[in-house]
Amino acid sequence: MNKDQIEGKWKQIKGKFKQKYADLTDDDLTYSEGKFDEMMGKLQEKTGKTKEDLKREIESW
C-alpha cells in the first residue's frame, strides 16, 4: 500500500486508532495535505510502533 492509498483510507480508520490507542487526540490524528509524515511521526511517538508497523496495521483494517 502506498502513501496515497493510506491517506485515502485514513478517514475510514481514524476512529479505530482512537479506540485502540486511548492516548491519541483528534489533533494527533488530523491529516492535512503535506503533513502525512508529521502525523505518522506523532503516531509512532504515541504508540511506540515503527512507521512500517503502523502502515501494516492500517493495511490490515
Side-chain angles (χ1 to χ4, degrees):
M1 182 174 275
N2 66 34
K3 181 178 170 183
D4 291 333
Q5 290 170 312
I6 290 173
E7 290 172 7
K9 193 173 182 182
W10 185 244
K11 287 183 181 178
Q12 298 170 15
I13 61 169
K14 195 164 120 173
K16 292 180 183 184
F17 257 85
K18 285 175 75 175
Q19 289 173 350
K20 187 169 183 180
Y21 303 104
D23 299 12
L24 296 176
T25 66
D26 285 331
D27 288 340
D28 293 329
L29 297 169
T30 298
Y31 165 76
S32 60
E33 191 152 338
K35 299 288 186 174
F36 184 76
D37 290 332
E38 184 179 327
M39 183 195 67
M40 289 297 284
K42 286 183 183 181
L43 290 176
Q44 285 179 266
E45 190 177 302
K46 295 267 182 150
T47 65
K49 294 185 174 208
T50 66
K51 188 180 285 191
E52 291 76 26
D53 288 341
L54 289 167
K55 286 181 180 182
R56 277 192 292 276
E57 188 167 345
I58 291 167
E59 288 174 7
S60 72
W61 283 339

